[in-house]
Amino acid sequence: MLMLGPLVAYSTVSLFFSLGNAVAAPFLFVAIVKFFISLTLVIYLLIAAGKKMTTIVAGTKSHWRSWKLAGVTLGQTNDVFLAFSLLYIDVAVASILAAARPFFYTLIVSRAFNRQGRYEKITGGKWALTLLAVVGCGLVIASQSRYFGAGLTFATLIGVLLALANPLFSGFTSLSLKWGTDVSTALGDEDTESLFPLVGAAIGLFASSILFFAIGYFLQESFGALGFGGVAMAVGYAVIAGGLGDTLHRSALLKTSNLGVNSLGFFQPALAIVWLGAFPLIPQVDWLLHAIHLQVDFPLITVPHVDWLIAGCIAVVAANLLLNFRASDRIAYKALVIILWASGLFVYLHDGVVAPHYFAVVNTAALVFVLLLTFRMERLIRRTADEENNAFTVFRQLETLVRYERIKAEVLEGIKEIDKHRKVGELRNAYRRVKDLLHKARDEPTGGDTRMADKLERIESAVDKLAHSKQQGTNFGEFLALGAIGVILAGLLLFFTAPDLGAYPGYGFMVELMSFVLASIIVFLLFNMWDLERDRRRPILFKEKDGRYHVHFWDDRDADDAHLERRISIIICLAMVVAYGALLYYKWLL
């Protein structure tokens, strides 16, 4: 909830650009925006700095000749690219493309800067999500054509490149953080560390506004082209999206230590489309526009295929979110998101082949699938639990014997190797080392005490069971049969449909909604079983630097972080179902 305020405020940017007719005088429009945002920042600094204002002024005077501030000023050119893109593409298309930065960072930044940060490891799942975002952008661009891909011109390409330049240039604005840290460190004043980045941002904003005013004057742009309403929209952008949005964002970050809340900002293009679509429906909107002498042609979204636009927006938002926060390490969840998007779009666009006995065939295939899945899952879960219990029991018993010097400490590393390795050769070698050490321990004199020999025999028997269970890999025949039935069932749901749906639109809506949701769940269950196999192969014992062995925790996130990211994960899936449900409702019932 902390980020809801700034998210709503930031999502109004496209609305202000559209209502203010920014394309009439783009440099003047952006100059007004940057000037008033810098003014709100200065007012905030005057209030927040208090007695530290003297230090801030002195630090700024001594460090204003910095290339980082020049970079901040360069970053403020982002809105000019967005304004010029509206000459060639629809404002809704530009809004979504401007949010495409994260998946471009996956491709570019990770390669250019040694894959640092959250893009340190580019996995197959991240490549799949990147592909999803690329396909989504393609759908968004294609929504401007009456037929898929037809009618797209060179001018459209220019508009697309300008919109994509917006987020790439805005990345330079983060240099204000680096500049602020350098200044506060040089002054040795930690109290100003949070204020100097705002000073750097204000300087970059003011410098860019002066630059844009000068360019606008040189190009003979006039305030008359914008009109009173256009100027009012520029000021509104500065106050709501710039001043209010930034203030609420800073307040939200001060109230939480979890920076994952920033991920909610990737919902911005979806909310921007809602603003553009719903604004004409607001009561008394005509009176409001007339009061500020603003003439606007409705609707604001003018693409021929709004459905393609929505589907593409869903893909970009979902991919950006999953690429920029740790939703889940499981392949199944990413597969669920991708198949939800793809199957929902397919069902919406494809009417399906009429099958006379549709539900009877689906019920039979579903019954076979559920039976095979249940048997397989039950055996897999039981085997995994038995292996873990055996490994923990054996390890702790041997650890006690090591502590009392009844067996060599090497045996603990051997058990860890048995738990870790899945290749038969490596597993055999680790097993033999453990057996040799157990045999040597049994050969040691016990002074007539048979309890130690019995205990070692029980441990050896448990090691035999553990090694035997570990060498049993995935039953690919069974998995192949289950996968084949799952694919057939998903295909039946997606490619075929029940008869006479046209006569009962509500019935058709429910059948198609059920089809894409169930097909997605089936694919999720198949991948989830594969995840359980991966869990079985994960090591459960971990050796710390102090030489002690502990349980290996796979998820190292704080509880609050994990809780937030799970909620976002659920929101993504629910949002997809709701969005496609709305499209199917439009298809059948409107």
Side-chain angles (χ1 to χ4, degrees):
M1 296 300 292
L2 294 173
M3 283 295 293
L4 185 59
L7 175 60
V8 172
Y10 290 146
S11 65
T12 61
V13 169
S14 300
L15 179 65
F16 283 118
F17 267 97
S18 183
L19 294 177
N21 193 24
V23 294
F27 283 105
L28 285 184
F29 185 91
V30 174
I32 296 169
V33 170
K34 301 300 181 183
F35 175 78
F36 277 95
I37 295 179
S38 67
L39 185 61
T40 60
L41 266 180
V42 169
I43 294 172
Y44 177 85
L45 283 167
L46 289 173
I47 296 171
K51 297 180 180 179
K52 291 290 182 180
M53 184 54 66
T54 304
T55 305
I56 289 175
V57 172
T60 304
K61 284 183 177 180
S62 60
H63 292 82
W64 70 273
R65 298 183 187 88
S66 172
W67 67 268
K68 296 183 181 69
L69 288 182
V72 175
T73 303
L74 178 65
Q76 298 300 339
T77 61
N78 61 330
D79 282 340
V80 172
F81 291 105
L82 183 60
F84 272 107
S85 71
L86 303 185
L87 288 169
Y88 309 101
I89 58 177
D90 187 84
V91 62
V93 174
S95 301
I96 298 170
L97 294 179
R101 172 178 58 184
F103 85 81
F104 274 116
Y105 275 6
T106 306
L107 293 171
I108 300 171
V109 176
S110 63
R111 297 290 177 178
F113 298 101
N114 299 319
R115 304 185 182 185
Q116 294 178 356
R118 58 176 172 266
Y119 303 122
E120 182 177 354
K121 184 180 180 182
I122 307 299
T123 62
K126 287 185 177 179
W127 282 118
L129 291 170
T130 300
L131 179 61
L132 175 65
V134 171
V135 174
C137 282
L139 269 179
V140 169
I141 297 168
S143 68
Q144 293 205 134
S145 60
R146 193 158 298 279
Y147 302 101
F148 191 82
L152 297 179
T153 63
F154 183 69
T156 304
L157 176 61
I158 294 175
V160 168
L161 293 176
L162 287 170
L164 292 176
N166 171 280
L168 294 179
F169 273 80
S170 66
F172 287 104
T173 58
S174 61
L175 287 172
S176 62
L177 296 172
K178 179 63 177 172
W179 178 83
T181 302
D182 291 345
V183 177
S184 60
T185 302
L187 296 176
D189 191 344
E190 295 182 356
D191 295 335
T192 59
E193 189 173 356
S194 62
L195 297 176
F196 273 114
L198 301 181
V199 175
I203 293 173
L205 284 162
F206 182 74
S208 65
S209 69
I210 298 301
L211 175 64
F212 296 148
F213 274 125
I215 295 175
Y217 176 79
F218 177 77
L219 296 177
Q220 297 182 342
E221 292 183 355
S222 66
F223 288 101
L226 290 174
F228 177 78
V231 174
M233 290 298 102
V235 175
Y237 170 5
V239 173
I240 295 178
L244 181 62
D246 288 345
T247 301
L248 291 174
H249 189 197
R250 285 191 292 271
S251 299
L253 292 180
L254 288 174
K255 293 178 182 179
T256 178
S257 59
N258 182 11
L259 296 181
V261 296
N262 286 315
S263 297
L264 293 175
F266 296 122
F267 282 109
Q268 182 179 327
L271 277 182
I273 291 179
V274 172
W275 274 114
L276 293 168
F279 185 79
L281 306 178
I282 297 175
Q284 304 298 323
V285 68
D286 292 331
W287 175 85
L288 174 63
L289 295 176
H290 180 72
I292 59 175
H293 306 286
L294 198 59
Q295 302 234 348
V296 180
D297 295 327
F298 292 128
L300 298 176
I301 300 176
T302 59
V303 297
H305 289 283
V306 178
D307 47 0
W308 296 357
L309 181 80
I310 293 173
C313 179
I314 294 171
V316 172
V317 170
N320 282 347
L321 281 164
L322 295 180
L323 283 168
N324 285 273
F325 80 96
R326 188 177 170 185
S328 173
D329 288 334
R330 293 182 174 271
I331 297 174
Y333 176 70
K334 295 181 178 66
L336 175 63
V337 170
I338 294 172
I339 197 65
L340 266 176
W341 179 83
S343 61
L345 181 63
F346 181 81
V347 167
Y348 172 73
L349 296 175
H350 177 68
D351 291 332
V353 178
V354 175
H357 303 289
Y358 174 76
F359 287 108
V361 176
V362 167
N363 288 340
T364 303
L367 178 62
V368 175
F369 176 78
V370 169
L371 289 174
L372 285 175
L373 181 69
T374 302
F375 292 147
R376 177 60 187 160
M377 294 279 281
E378 193 275 334
R379 288 200 305 277
L380 180 59
I381 292 171
R382 187 176 67 245
R383 177 183 292 175
T384 303
D386 289 344
E387 287 177 1
E388 290 176 350
N389 290 333
N390 263 341
F392 284 132
T393 302
V394 168
F395 191 85
R396 291 309 168 200
Q397 288 177 345
L398 288 173
E399 193 175 37
T400 302
L401 295 179
V402 169
R403 190 177 298 119
Y404 289 103
E405 299 183 351
R406 299 306 302 267
I407 195 170
K408 293 184 178 180
E410 299 171 19
V411 72
L412 299 180
E413 193 64 25
I415 297 296
K416 178 173 172 287
E417 293 298 310
I418 291 176
D419 172 61
K420 175 182 176 182
H421 289 305
R422 292 298 174 269
K423 293 181 180 179
V424 176
E426 296 172 343
L427 181 63
R428 184 192 303 116
N429 293 335
Y431 169 71
R432 286 175 176 172
R433 286 199 301 272
V434 171
K435 292 280 285 187
D436 289 342
L437 291 169
L438 286 171
H439 289 164
K440 289 179 181 179
R442 290 177 65 180
D443 292 339
E444 293 288 332
T446 59
D449 187 0
T450 60
R451 288 177 300 175
M452 178 58 63
D454 292 340
K455 186 173 184 178
L456 288 170
E457 187 174 351
R458 288 195 299 271
I459 293 174
E460 187 174 356
S461 176
V463 170
D464 292 339
K465 292 177 182 178
L466 178 62
H468 176 67
S469 181
K470 288 288 186 181
Q471 74 172 336
Q472 297 180 36
T474 303
N475 188 330
F476 283 103
E478 189 178 70
F479 186 79
L480 184 62
L482 180 62
I485 292 293
V487 170
I488 290 171
L489 179 56
L492 286 171
L493 290 167
L494 294 177
F495 288 92
F496 295 88
T497 189
D500 301 326
L501 294 185
Y504 306 98
Y507 185 53
F509 165 73
M510 292 301 299
V511 167
E512 289 202 343
L513 183 64
M514 175 203 72
S515 296
F516 99 85
V517 172
L518 286 183
S520 302
I521 292 173
I522 289 165
V523 175
F524 167 77
L525 290 174
L526 290 174
F527 277 97
N528 186 58
M529 192 180 70
W530 186 256
D531 278 329
L532 290 176
E533 288 281 2
R534 290 172 65 233
D535 288 347
R536 178 173 169 250
R537 293 193 291 268
R538 284 183 175 186
I540 59 175
L541 297 170
F542 176 72
K543 187 176 183 180
E544 297 282 0
K545 293 181 180 179
D546 59 3
R548 296 183 179 182
Y549 293 86
H550 301 282
V551 176
H552 186 229
F553 290 94
W554 300 333
D555 192 345
D556 56 358
R557 294 174 293 178
D558 293 334
D560 291 341
D561 294 355
H563 184 59
L564 170 68
E565 291 168 356
R566 288 192 196 102
R567 282 191 295 178
I568 296 176
S569 304
I570 294 171
I571 289 171
I572 292 172
C573 293
L574 289 179
M576 281 191 172
V577 173
V578 170
Y580 280 122
L583 287 176
L584 290 172
Y585 185 86
Y586 172 80
K587 173 183 176 180
W588 284 99
L589 299 172
L590 293 180

